[in-house]
Amino acid sequence: MINEAALLESKALRSGVLERTDVLDRVKALSLLPDGMHVTTAMVAAYFHVGVKAIESLVIDHREELEANGYRVLAGTELTSFKEVCGIQSRTRALALYPRRAVLNVAMLLRDSEVARQVRVYLLDMEYMARTQPVDNNAVHSPVEDLNEHIDRRITHILGKTVVPLFNTLIETSGEHSRELVALREDVENVERRLCWHHQRMRVLEAGTPADAVGTSIKAMTWQAFERHVADLLRRDGCTQVVVRQARSDRGIDITGHTADGRSVAVQCKNRDGRWSVPSADMQKFAGAARTLQPADVALFVATSQFSSEAQAIADLTGIITIARDELEAWSAGVRLKALSGGSRTSGRAGPTPSA
């Protein structure tokens, strides 16, 4: 699996994932100029929460690579025409423009930005999942089946790459109507996940094997990849500011973030053999961290195994939501986690159900 350091250092590896510009809006809404295609240096800096000088310095060091991915500087009559088209009133004599591909390129080069790091993690998660998904080379599909699959995948692509990012942008600028837009976005994401779930179940049935592709993929993950996988599920279900700590000093909390309605989230992940049960000691440690050291509105304990009766009792007592192997596999396959939506209960088993 490609690691983050390799992605930062290798131009060839960066080039291999530059088509995945949709991850920008998955992590955070990217505001565009009125032409719907470009952003300025200031807009790039605002997206990554860094100063303009940091972006300008990065351009100096990697100008050739960025230009290959669409970065350019307008001046003279070309700039005048662009200002007229976009309605820009600035008197600047030159304007640097970045298409989405160049912005993603910046994300893979910018070291001192948490947003850029989250974009890289998202890319790595997608690359890992793509490499670990089982492939059935013997499956034979009719032209009609291939056409239906192509149409469904095209719909999924449009929902994920166009409609959801549009909702993200509207939510950031909507003010009093944000709650209604969040609800609409959730409906669209539910449709997208339902299509993904349908594809996976059909693949399993057509292959004629009881093996669960999702379970197999999760079982193959390292603990680091598993934490990134859970973080990706949080983002998919609308969570923002998702951070994977992956440090020895995490104080019992592996992932933090916020739900779409603003509640704080703390997550503990345990990637162990399915025959292993989460003991009460682990639950006590997480309860102390999520309820005392760093209080969270939503505390999730996600495990690839089951929970011991003592651990579950502590979870119920302290309001910890447990996500055992079966719930995790359903969540990974596209089922929305109720605990992350507004008005959900605050303790017990997660119990995800298929999104309608």
Side-chain angles (χ1 to χ4, degrees):
M1 178 179 175
I2 302 173
N3 59 50
E4 188 176 352
L7 196 62
L8 285 165
E9 299 298 334
S10 172
K11 180 179 177 181
L13 291 178
R14 292 194 293 271
S15 298
V17 294
L18 279 169
E19 297 300 328
R20 299 184 182 273
T21 57
D22 57 303
V23 303
L24 294 169
D25 290 295
R26 294 286 184 168
V27 174
K28 180 186 175 187
L30 177 65
S31 299
L32 300 172
L33 288 170
D35 70 341
M37 298 175 59
H38 298 93
V39 295
T40 64
T41 302
M43 294 168 74
V44 174
Y47 177 85
F48 290 113
H49 292 173
V50 297
V52 171
K53 289 186 179 296
I55 304 299
E56 292 176 340
S57 176
L58 186 144
V59 171
I60 293 174
D61 294 336
H62 302 277
R63 189 182 188 98
E64 183 178 350
E65 180 178 344
L66 289 167
E67 286 181 340
N69 290 304
Y71 168 83
R72 59 191 178 124
V73 178
L74 301 185
T77 57
E78 189 178 17
L79 174 59
T80 301
S81 299
F82 185 82
K83 287 181 178 180
E84 291 176 355
V85 171
C86 292
I88 299 175
Q89 302 298 322
S90 171
R91 295 183 179 179
T92 181
R93 296 182 179 180
L95 182 66
L97 296 179
Y98 306 70
R100 297 174 67 86
R101 187 181 175 96
V103 177
L104 182 58
N105 198 166
V106 170
M108 290 186 284
L109 293 168
L110 193 59
R111 296 175 182 271
D112 299 325
S113 165
E114 178 58 30
V115 174
R117 193 193 70 81
Q118 290 181 26
V119 171
R120 292 193 295 271
V121 168
Y122 205 116
L123 283 169
L124 293 173
D125 287 344
M126 293 176 67
E127 183 272 342
Y128 178 85
M129 292 301 292
R131 288 175 179 268
T132 56
Q133 287 298 320
V135 178
D136 183 7
N137 294 321
N138 298 318
V140 178
H141 304 279
S142 70
V144 173
E145 289 174 331
D146 290 339
L147 177 60
N148 288 338
E149 179 174 349
H150 173 75
I151 292 172
D152 283 350
R153 289 190 179 278
R154 180 62 178 165
I155 293 172
T156 305
H157 174 79
I158 292 172
L159 290 176
K161 192 169 184 178
T162 304
V163 179
V164 172
L166 176 60
F167 272 115
N168 289 339
T169 302
L170 290 173
I171 288 168
E172 284 197 354
T173 59
S174 62
E176 61 183 22
H177 298 295
S178 61
R179 180 170 297 181
E180 291 85 352
L181 288 170
V182 168
L184 288 172
R185 181 183 65 184
E186 289 179 353
D187 290 340
V188 172
E189 290 176 330
N190 284 341
V191 173
E192 179 188 2
R193 287 192 290 273
R194 188 71 176 184
L195 283 170
C196 293
W197 170 265
H198 168 74
H199 278 305
Q200 187 209 350
R201 300 315 301 168
M202 289 302 295
R203 286 293 191 188
V204 172
L205 291 173
E206 290 171 359
T209 173
D212 191 325
V214 173
T216 301
S217 177
I218 293 174
K219 188 176 181 179
M221 293 180 186
T222 63
W223 67 267
Q224 297 97 329
F226 179 58
E227 289 183 4
R228 291 196 295 269
H229 173 65
V230 173
D232 189 42
L233 295 176
L234 293 171
R235 296 187 188 101
R236 187 202 67 191
D237 281 7
C239 290
T240 60
Q241 303 175 44
V242 177
V243 176
V244 182
R245 298 186 174 187
Q246 292 196 345
R248 293 181 179 179
S249 58
D250 60 16
R251 296 186 177 181
I253 297 176
D254 296 323
I255 306 171
T256 58
H258 288 82
T259 63
D261 56 5
R263 290 171 295 149
S264 58
V265 179
V267 184
Q268 170 66 216
C269 300
K270 287 295 180 184
N271 184 11
R272 303 286 179 85
D273 187 276
R275 292 169 292 181
W276 178 85
S277 295
V278 176
S280 59
D282 286 356
M283 186 62 71
Q284 289 174 352
K285 179 181 178 181
F286 179 55
R291 294 294 179 240
T292 304
L293 293 178
Q294 188 173 337
D297 298 318
V298 180
L300 306 176
F301 199 123
V302 185
T304 56
S305 62
Q306 303 300 322
F307 292 84
S308 69
S309 57
E310 295 85 357
Q312 187 62 53
I314 294 171
D316 293 339
L317 183 63
T318 57
I320 305 297
I321 299 169
T322 57
I323 303 175
R325 181 177 56 213
D326 293 343
E327 292 90 349
L328 171 62
E329 291 182 5
W331 188 24
S332 300
V335 178
R336 186 170 176 271
L337 195 65
K338 290 188 212 176
L340 300 178
S341 61
S344 63
R345 56 196 177 89
T346 58
S347 65
R349 296 186 182 277
T353 56
S355 305

